[in-house]
Amino acid sequence: QDEAVRGAIPQVQAQVFYMAGSIELNGVVFGIDVMEEERLFNIGDYVIEGDPQDLAKTNNGIILGAGLGAKMSLKVGDRVQLSSVNGGLFPLKIVGFYQSGLAEIDDVQSYVNLATAQNILGKGSDYISDINVKLFNMDKAPLMAEQISGQYDLTAVDIKTANAQFETGTQIRNII
């Protein structure tokens, strides 16, 4: 209801192993409401193959990071299995590929429906791990993050801080 907020959407983050044949890769899957993610954050701009709406229509679908797909020699329509930290196996149909342009992300990250991510974690439909907030003015993000942290006793990270942390990590990896 804050006038500065364009929208807020839930997200579920889960650590997983991606498995295809004998290949097993560590990564992270994000459960999202794909239509709201498209409306607020334009996820479709980063889907290089397939359609984000296919994820909304397919309960056991996944939009895989392009780097993951290349490493595992997968294509749209193939199946990939996800193994959760608690040992469950989840066969998912690839409905698209996502490319952010950052190999560090594209090699580990993918997207599924909220319900699928909750299922992978063995959690109920009321479980979320993150809330992403889109503001009308991004310059107000640091102040809002500080207000949310104080008001709700939560960890809130604004986009500028998140990007600075990412840039620092990338610089350190490049030095190494």
Side-chain angles (χ1 to χ4, degrees), residues 77-106:
D78 286 348
R79 293 205 171 268
V80 62
Q81 284 200 90
L82 271 61
S83 173
S84 66
V85 292
N86 56 6
L89 286 177
F90 301 89
L92 301 175
K93 180 181 178 183
I94 299 170
V95 298
F97 288 103
Y98 171 91
Q99 187 170 36
S100 68
L102 301 169
E104 294 93 349
I105 292 174
D106 299 335

PDB file of all heavy atoms in Angstrom, residues 77-106:
ATOM      1  N   GLY A  77      12.157 -29.002 -24.001  1.00  0.00           N
ATOM      2  CA  GLY A  77      11.421 -30.253 -24.154  1.00  0.00           C
ATOM      3  C   GLY A  77      12.094 -31.420 -23.451  1.00  0.00           C
ATOM      4  O   GLY A  77      11.444 -32.419 -23.136  1.00  0.00           O
ATOM      5  N   ASP A  78      13.411 -31.310 -23.187  1.00  0.00           N
ATOM      6  CA  ASP A  78      14.116 -32.361 -22.443  1.00  0.00           C
ATOM      7  C   ASP A  78      13.697 -32.328 -20.983  1.00  0.00           C
ATOM      8  O   ASP A  78      13.088 -31.366 -20.517  1.00  0.00           O
ATOM      9  CB  ASP A  78      15.639 -32.151 -22.519  1.00  0.00           C
ATOM     10  CG  ASP A  78      16.226 -32.496 -23.874  1.00  0.00           C
ATOM     11  OD1 ASP A  78      15.509 -33.115 -24.699  1.00  0.00           O
ATOM     12  OD2 ASP A  78      17.402 -32.142 -24.114  1.00  0.00           O
ATOM     13  N   ARG A  79      14.062 -33.376 -20.280  1.00  0.00           N
ATOM     14  CA  ARG A  79      13.814 -33.446 -18.839  1.00  0.00           C
ATOM     15  C   ARG A  79      15.134 -33.369 -18.094  1.00  0.00           C
ATOM     16  O   ARG A  79      16.140 -33.898 -18.533  1.00  0.00           O
ATOM     17  CB  ARG A  79      13.083 -34.726 -18.475  1.00  0.00           C
ATOM     18  CG  ARG A  79      11.680 -34.758 -19.041  1.00  0.00           C
ATOM     19  CD  ARG A  79      10.766 -35.657 -18.223  1.00  0.00           C
ATOM     20  NE  ARG A  79       9.392 -35.517 -18.657  1.00  0.00           N
ATOM     21  CZ  ARG A  79       8.525 -34.662 -18.141  1.00  0.00           C
ATOM     22  NH1 ARG A  79       8.886 -33.870 -17.168  1.00  0.00           N
ATOM     23  NH2 ARG A  79       7.287 -34.597 -18.578  1.00  0.00           N
ATOM     24  N   VAL A  80      15.090 -32.689 -16.962  1.00  0.00           N
ATOM     25  CA  VAL A  80      16.226 -32.615 -16.056  1.00  0.00           C
ATOM     26  C   VAL A  80      15.687 -32.979 -14.671  1.00  0.00           C
ATOM     27  O   VAL A  80      14.550 -32.666 -14.339  1.00  0.00           O
ATOM     28  CB  VAL A  80      16.875 -31.203 -16.064  1.00  0.00           C
ATOM     29  CG1 VAL A  80      15.914 -30.135 -15.585  1.00  0.00           C
ATOM     30  CG2 VAL A  80      18.163 -31.178 -15.269  1.00  0.00           C
ATOM     31  N   GLN A  81      16.491 -33.687 -13.885  1.00  0.00           N
ATOM     32  CA  GLN A  81      16.076 -34.026 -12.528  1.00  0.00           C
ATOM     33  C   GLN A  81      16.757 -33.082 -11.554  1.00  0.00           C
ATOM     34  O   GLN A  81      17.937 -32.767 -11.703  1.00  0.00           O
ATOM     35  CB  GLN A  81      16.464 -35.461 -12.173  1.00  0.00           C
ATOM     36  CG  GLN A  81      15.561 -36.485 -12.812  1.00  0.00           C
ATOM     37  CD  GLN A  81      15.660 -37.801 -12.078  1.00  0.00           C
ATOM     38  OE1 GLN A  81      14.901 -38.025 -11.148  1.00  0.00           O
ATOM     39  NE2 GLN A  81      16.574 -38.642 -12.493  1.00  0.00           N
ATOM     40  N   LEU A  82      16.005 -32.655 -10.569  1.00  0.00           N
ATOM     41  CA  LEU A  82      16.555 -31.865  -9.480  1.00  0.00           C
ATOM     42  C   LEU A  82      16.549 -32.725  -8.239  1.00  0.00           C
ATOM     43  O   LEU A  82      15.577 -33.438  -7.978  1.00  0.00           O
ATOM     44  CB  LEU A  82      15.713 -30.610  -9.224  1.00  0.00           C
ATOM     45  CG  LEU A  82      16.079 -29.358 -10.019  1.00  0.00           C
ATOM     46  CD1 LEU A  82      15.942 -29.577 -11.506  1.00  0.00           C
ATOM     47  CD2 LEU A  82      15.248 -28.200  -9.572  1.00  0.00           C
ATOM     48  N   SER A  83      17.633 -32.665  -7.516  1.00  0.00           N
ATOM     49  CA  SER A  83      17.734 -33.357  -6.237  1.00  0.00           C
ATOM     50  C   SER A  83      17.816 -32.287  -5.163  1.00  0.00           C
ATOM     51  O   SER A  83      18.643 -31.380  -5.245  1.00  0.00           O
ATOM     52  CB  SER A  83      18.977 -34.241  -6.208  1.00  0.00           C
ATOM     53  OG  SER A  83      19.156 -34.791  -4.915  1.00  0.00           O
ATOM     54  N   SER A  84      16.948 -32.406  -4.178  1.00  0.00           N
ATOM     55  CA  SER A  84      16.925 -31.411  -3.107  1.00  0.00           C
ATOM     56  C   SER A  84      17.900 -31.803  -2.005  1.00  0.00           C
ATOM     57  O   SER A  84      18.408 -32.926  -1.977  1.00  0.00           O
ATOM     58  CB  SER A  84      15.509 -31.294  -2.532  1.00  0.00           C
ATOM     59  OG  SER A  84      15.150 -32.510  -1.896  1.00  0.00           O
ATOM     60  N   VAL A  85      18.140 -30.887  -1.085  1.00  0.00           N
ATOM     61  CA  VAL A  85      19.050 -31.159   0.024  1.00  0.00           C
ATOM     62  C   VAL A  85      18.531 -32.266   0.934  1.00  0.00           C
ATOM     63  O   VAL A  85      19.306 -32.934   1.592  1.00  0.00           O
ATOM     64  CB  VAL A  85      19.342 -29.882   0.849  1.00  0.00           C
ATOM     65  CG1 VAL A  85      20.153 -28.895   0.053  1.00  0.00           C
ATOM     66  CG2 VAL A  85      18.078 -29.250   1.360  1.00  0.00           C
ATOM     67  N   ASN A  86      17.207 -32.476   0.938  1.00  0.00           N
ATOM     68  CA  ASN A  86      16.658 -33.555   1.759  1.00  0.00           C
ATOM     69  C   ASN A  86      16.513 -34.859   0.980  1.00  0.00           C
ATOM     70  O   ASN A  86      15.909 -35.811   1.464  1.00  0.00           O
ATOM     71  CB  ASN A  86      15.332 -33.137   2.411  1.00  0.00           C
ATOM     72  CG  ASN A  86      14.290 -32.690   1.420  1.00  0.00           C
ATOM     73  OD1 ASN A  86      14.501 -32.780   0.214  1.00  0.00           O
ATOM     74  ND2 ASN A  86      13.167 -32.195   1.916  1.00  0.00           N
ATOM     75  N   GLY A  87      17.072 -34.912  -0.251  1.00  0.00           N
ATOM     76  CA  GLY A  87      17.164 -36.170  -0.981  1.00  0.00           C
ATOM     77  C   GLY A  87      16.062 -36.473  -1.972  1.00  0.00           C
ATOM     78  O   GLY A  87      16.129 -37.487  -2.650  1.00  0.00           O
ATOM     79  N   GLY A  88      15.062 -35.629  -2.075  1.00  0.00           N
ATOM     80  CA  GLY A  88      13.982 -35.884  -3.027  1.00  0.00           C
ATOM     81  C   GLY A  88      14.435 -35.683  -4.458  1.00  0.00           C
ATOM     82  O   GLY A  88      15.313 -34.859  -4.731  1.00  0.00           O
ATOM     83  N   LEU A  89      13.853 -36.438  -5.381  1.00  0.00           N
ATOM     84  CA  LEU A  89      14.148 -36.292  -6.815  1.00  0.00           C
ATOM     85  C   LEU A  89      12.918 -35.729  -7.511  1.00  0.00           C
ATOM     86  O   LEU A  89      11.802 -36.212  -7.297  1.00  0.00           O
ATOM     87  CB  LEU A  89      14.513 -37.633  -7.443  1.00  0.00           C
ATOM     88  CG  LEU A  89      15.895 -38.173  -7.112  1.00  0.00           C
ATOM     89  CD1 LEU A  89      16.082 -39.545  -7.751  1.00  0.00           C
ATOM     90  CD2 LEU A  89      16.974 -37.229  -7.581  1.00  0.00           C
ATOM     91  N   PHE A  90      13.133 -34.741  -8.373  1.00  0.00           N
ATOM     92  CA  PHE A  90      12.038 -34.064  -9.045  1.00  0.00           C
ATOM     93  C   PHE A  90      12.343 -33.952 -10.532  1.00  0.00           C
ATOM     94  O   PHE A  90      13.166 -33.125 -10.932  1.00  0.00           O
ATOM     95  CB  PHE A  90      11.817 -32.676  -8.426  1.00  0.00           C
ATOM     96  CG  PHE A  90      11.514 -32.742  -6.966  1.00  0.00           C
ATOM     97  CD1 PHE A  90      12.551 -32.726  -6.030  1.00  0.00           C
ATOM     98  CD2 PHE A  90      10.221 -32.863  -6.523  1.00  0.00           C
ATOM     99  CE1 PHE A  90      12.281 -32.821  -4.680  1.00  0.00           C
ATOM    100  CE2 PHE A  90       9.937 -32.955  -5.170  1.00  0.00           C
ATOM    101  CZ  PHE A  90      10.971 -32.939  -4.241  1.00  0.00           C
ATOM    102  N   PRO A  91      11.700 -34.771 -11.371  1.00  0.00           N
ATOM    103  CA  PRO A  91      11.903 -34.651 -12.819  1.00  0.00           C
ATOM    104  C   PRO A  91      11.095 -33.469 -13.350  1.00  0.00           C
ATOM    105  O   PRO A  91       9.892 -33.357 -13.098  1.00  0.00           O
ATOM    106  CB  PRO A  91      11.373 -35.976 -13.365  1.00  0.00           C
ATOM    107  CG  PRO A  91      10.418 -36.473 -12.325  1.00  0.00           C
ATOM    108  CD  PRO A  91      10.839 -35.885 -11.017  1.00  0.00           C
ATOM    109  N   LEU A  92      11.765 -32.571 -14.061  1.00  0.00           N
ATOM    110  CA  LEU A  92      11.117 -31.374 -14.576  1.00  0.00           C
ATOM    111  C   LEU A  92      11.352 -31.259 -16.074  1.00  0.00           C
ATOM    112  O   LEU A  92      12.420 -31.607 -16.581  1.00  0.00           O
ATOM    113  CB  LEU A  92      11.657 -30.125 -13.873  1.00  0.00           C
ATOM    114  CG  LEU A  92      11.489 -30.081 -12.356  1.00  0.00           C
ATOM    115  CD1 LEU A  92      12.172 -28.860 -11.788  1.00  0.00           C
ATOM    116  CD2 LEU A  92      10.029 -30.108 -11.962  1.00  0.00           C
ATOM    117  N   LYS A  93      10.347 -30.728 -16.771  1.00  0.00           N
ATOM    118  CA  LYS A  93      10.441 -30.522 -18.217  1.00  0.00           C
ATOM    119  C   LYS A  93      10.971 -29.120 -18.492  1.00  0.00           C
ATOM    120  O   LYS A  93      10.466 -28.134 -17.949  1.00  0.00           O
ATOM    121  CB  LYS A  93       9.060 -30.689 -18.858  1.00  0.00           C
ATOM    122  CG  LYS A  93       9.069 -30.500 -20.354  1.00  0.00           C
ATOM    123  CD  LYS A  93       7.682 -30.662 -20.932  1.00  0.00           C
ATOM    124  CE  LYS A  93       7.698 -30.430 -22.427  1.00  0.00           C
ATOM    125  NZ  LYS A  93       6.363 -30.512 -22.991  1.00  0.00           N
ATOM    126  N   ILE A  94      11.979 -29.031 -19.335  1.00  0.00           N
ATOM    127  CA  ILE A  94      12.569 -27.733 -19.686  1.00  0.00           C
ATOM    128  C   ILE A  94      11.628 -27.016 -20.657  1.00  0.00           C
ATOM    129  O   ILE A  94      11.352 -27.513 -21.742  1.00  0.00           O
ATOM    130  CB  ILE A  94      13.961 -27.900 -20.306  1.00  0.00           C
ATOM    131  CG1 ILE A  94      14.892 -28.577 -19.301  1.00  0.00           C
ATOM    132  CG2 ILE A  94      14.513 -26.545 -20.746  1.00  0.00           C
ATOM    133  CD1 ILE A  94      16.219 -29.019 -19.877  1.00  0.00           C
ATOM    134  N   VAL A  95      11.118 -25.853 -20.226  1.00  0.00           N
ATOM    135  CA  VAL A  95      10.211 -25.066 -21.063  1.00  0.00           C
ATOM    136  C   VAL A  95      10.899 -23.833 -21.634  1.00  0.00           C
ATOM    137  O   VAL A  95      10.315 -23.119 -22.446  1.00  0.00           O
ATOM    138  CB  VAL A  95       8.925 -24.663 -20.302  1.00  0.00           C
ATOM    139  CG1 VAL A  95       8.138 -25.896 -19.884  1.00  0.00           C
ATOM    140  CG2 VAL A  95       9.232 -23.777 -19.100  1.00  0.00           C
ATOM    141  N   GLY A  96      12.137 -23.581 -21.189  1.00  0.00           N
ATOM    142  CA  GLY A  96      12.854 -22.430 -21.707  1.00  0.00           C
ATOM    143  C   GLY A  96      14.244 -22.316 -21.120  1.00  0.00           C
ATOM    144  O   GLY A  96      14.608 -23.051 -20.196  1.00  0.00           O
ATOM    145  N   PHE A  97      15.015 -21.388 -21.693  1.00  0.00           N
ATOM    146  CA  PHE A  97      16.354 -21.091 -21.198  1.00  0.00           C
ATOM    147  C   PHE A  97      16.454 -19.602 -20.906  1.00  0.00           C
ATOM    148  O   PHE A  97      15.967 -18.771 -21.662  1.00  0.00           O
ATOM    149  CB  PHE A  97      17.427 -21.495 -22.213  1.00  0.00           C
ATOM    150  CG  PHE A  97      17.596 -22.977 -22.312  1.00  0.00           C
ATOM    151  CD1 PHE A  97      17.058 -23.672 -23.377  1.00  0.00           C
ATOM    152  CD2 PHE A  97      18.274 -23.681 -21.325  1.00  0.00           C
ATOM    153  CE1 PHE A  97      17.197 -25.045 -23.468  1.00  0.00           C
ATOM    154  CE2 PHE A  97      18.415 -25.053 -21.404  1.00  0.00           C
ATOM    155  CZ  PHE A  97      17.882 -25.735 -22.479  1.00  0.00           C
ATOM    156  N   TYR A  98      17.115 -19.307 -19.802  1.00  0.00           N
ATOM    157  CA  TYR A  98      17.277 -17.962 -19.283  1.00  0.00           C
ATOM    158  C   TYR A  98      18.741 -17.564 -19.432  1.00  0.00           C
ATOM    159  O   TYR A  98      19.635 -18.362 -19.145  1.00  0.00           O
ATOM    160  CB  TYR A  98      16.874 -17.992 -17.810  1.00  0.00           C
ATOM    161  CG  TYR A  98      17.163 -16.746 -17.018  1.00  0.00           C
ATOM    162  CD1 TYR A  98      16.213 -15.745 -16.910  1.00  0.00           C
ATOM    163  CD2 TYR A  98      18.368 -16.571 -16.344  1.00  0.00           C
ATOM    164  CE1 TYR A  98      16.455 -14.602 -16.157  1.00  0.00           C
ATOM    165  CE2 TYR A  98      18.617 -15.431 -15.595  1.00  0.00           C
ATOM    166  CZ  TYR A  98      17.653 -14.465 -15.506  1.00  0.00           C
ATOM    167  OH  TYR A  98      17.892 -13.334 -14.769  1.00  0.00           O
ATOM    168  N   GLN A  99      18.999 -16.342 -19.889  1.00  0.00           N
ATOM    169  CA  GLN A  99      20.371 -15.866 -19.982  1.00  0.00           C
ATOM    170  C   GLN A  99      20.445 -14.427 -19.483  1.00  0.00           C
ATOM    171  O   GLN A  99      19.907 -13.515 -20.103  1.00  0.00           O
ATOM    172  CB  GLN A  99      20.887 -15.952 -21.412  1.00  0.00           C
ATOM    173  CG  GLN A  99      22.356 -15.638 -21.527  1.00  0.00           C
ATOM    174  CD  GLN A  99      22.881 -15.974 -22.911  1.00  0.00           C
ATOM    175  OE1 GLN A  99      22.183 -15.805 -23.907  1.00  0.00           O
ATOM    176  NE2 GLN A  99      24.103 -16.459 -22.958  1.00  0.00           N
ATOM    177  N   SER A 100      21.112 -14.257 -18.352  1.00  0.00           N
ATOM    178  CA  SER A 100      21.266 -12.925 -17.776  1.00  0.00           C
ATOM    179  C   SER A 100      22.439 -12.182 -18.394  1.00  0.00           C
ATOM    180  O   SER A 100      22.523 -10.970 -18.303  1.00  0.00           O
ATOM    181  CB  SER A 100      21.492 -13.034 -16.263  1.00  0.00           C
ATOM    182  OG  SER A 100      22.758 -13.623 -16.008  1.00  0.00           O
ATOM    183  N   GLY A 101      23.368 -12.935 -18.976  1.00  0.00           N
ATOM    184  CA  GLY A 101      24.589 -12.343 -19.498  1.00  0.00           C
ATOM    185  C   GLY A 101      25.740 -12.471 -18.520  1.00  0.00           C
ATOM    186  O   GLY A 101      26.869 -12.104 -18.822  1.00  0.00           O
ATOM    187  N   LEU A 102      25.474 -13.002 -17.340  1.00  0.00           N
ATOM    188  CA  LEU A 102      26.505 -13.221 -16.326  1.00  0.00           C
ATOM    189  C   LEU A 102      26.667 -14.726 -16.117  1.00  0.00           C
ATOM    190  O   LEU A 102      25.765 -15.385 -15.614  1.00  0.00           O
ATOM    191  CB  LEU A 102      26.121 -12.548 -15.006  1.00  0.00           C
ATOM    192  CG  LEU A 102      25.899 -11.041 -15.076  1.00  0.00           C
ATOM    193  CD1 LEU A 102      25.268 -10.541 -13.792  1.00  0.00           C
ATOM    194  CD2 LEU A 102      27.210 -10.328 -15.348  1.00  0.00           C
ATOM    195  N   ALA A 103      27.807 -15.254 -16.506  1.00  0.00           N
ATOM    196  CA  ALA A 103      28.033 -16.700 -16.424  1.00  0.00           C
ATOM    197  C   ALA A 103      27.858 -17.215 -15.002  1.00  0.00           C
ATOM    198  O   ALA A 103      27.370 -18.328 -14.799  1.00  0.00           O
ATOM    199  CB  ALA A 103      29.427 -17.052 -16.945  1.00  0.00           C
ATOM    200  N   GLU A 104      28.235 -16.402 -14.002  1.00  0.00           N
ATOM    201  CA  GLU A 104      28.095 -16.822 -12.602  1.00  0.00           C
ATOM    202  C   GLU A 104      26.646 -17.146 -12.248  1.00  0.00           C
ATOM    203  O   GLU A 104      26.383 -17.970 -11.391  1.00  0.00           O
ATOM    204  CB  GLU A 104      28.615 -15.735 -11.649  1.00  0.00           C
ATOM    205  CG  GLU A 104      30.101 -15.481 -11.734  1.00  0.00           C
ATOM    206  CD  GLU A 104      30.463 -14.362 -12.706  1.00  0.00           C
ATOM    207  OE1 GLU A 104      29.588 -13.910 -13.475  1.00  0.00           O
ATOM    208  OE2 GLU A 104      31.626 -13.951 -12.724  1.00  0.00           O
ATOM    209  N   ILE A 105      25.711 -16.509 -12.921  1.00  0.00           N
ATOM    210  CA  ILE A 105      24.289 -16.756 -12.686  1.00  0.00           C
ATOM    211  C   ILE A 105      23.777 -17.839 -13.626  1.00  0.00           C
ATOM    212  O   ILE A 105      23.118 -18.792 -13.199  1.00  0.00           O
ATOM    213  CB  ILE A 105      23.479 -15.451 -12.869  1.00  0.00           C
ATOM    214  CG1 ILE A 105      23.841 -14.467 -11.753  1.00  0.00           C
ATOM    215  CG2 ILE A 105      21.978 -15.731 -12.902  1.00  0.00           C
ATOM    216  CD1 ILE A 105      23.235 -13.099 -11.904  1.00  0.00           C
ATOM    217  N   ASP A 106      24.081 -17.718 -14.897  1.00  0.00           N
ATOM    218  CA  ASP A 106      23.536 -18.635 -15.908  1.00  0.00           C
ATOM    219  C   ASP A 106      24.018 -20.069 -15.732  1.00  0.00           C
ATOM    220  O   ASP A 106      23.393 -20.997 -16.240  1.00  0.00           O
ATOM    221  CB  ASP A 106      23.887 -18.142 -17.305  1.00  0.00           C
ATOM    222  CG  ASP A 106      23.300 -16.760 -17.590  1.00  0.00           C
ATOM    223  OD1 ASP A 106      22.286 -16.407 -16.952  1.00  0.00           O
ATOM    224  OD2 ASP A 106      23.861 -16.044 -18.438  1.00  0.00           O
TER     225      ASP A 106
END
